Amino acid sequence: MTQITLAELPETVQNLIKQAQKTGEPLTIIQNGVPLAIISPINKSKRAAFGAMKDSGQITGDIVEPTSNLVTWDVLL
């Protein structure tokens, strides 16, 4: 994959890329009405340090009762 810095691009292209980054919408490059390339900004989503799994669990049954009739549990209450 070929890579270049933003400074190596003409100022007009730099401004268009910065606008795409600011708005979050991709930039489509066309020639004669045919799309050639799409420049899409990279979304850097930050994950919360605490509470990242909030509301993702679900209790589906009784945690005190055995899961099978074949197993007996001794429960201390």
Side-chain angles (χ1 to χ4, degrees):
M1 177 168 66
T2 304
Q3 295 181 346
I4 60 171
T5 64
L6 187 61
E8 294 177 272
L9 296 172
E11 186 177 349
T12 307
V13 178
Q14 289 181 27
N15 292 336
L16 289 170
I17 291 174
K18 288 176 184 176
Q19 179 183 353
Q21 184 180 20
K22 188 181 293 185
T23 63
E25 295 185 15
L27 171 68
T28 304
I29 301 169
I30 61 172
Q31 182 179 22
N32 298 326
V34 178
L36 297 176
I38 296 176
I39 298 174
S40 181
I42 297 174
N43 297 327
K44 292 183 180 179
S45 61
K46 291 187 177 182
R47 193 181 89 176
F50 298 101
M53 297 296 292
K54 182 180 178 186
D55 298 328
S56 64
Q58 181 179 6
I59 297 174
T60 59
D62 189 354
I63 61 171
V64 177
E65 293 295 321
T67 58
S68 167
N69 291 335
L70 303 174
V71 178
T72 58
W73 288 8
D74 292 329
V75 179
L76 301 175
L77 297 177

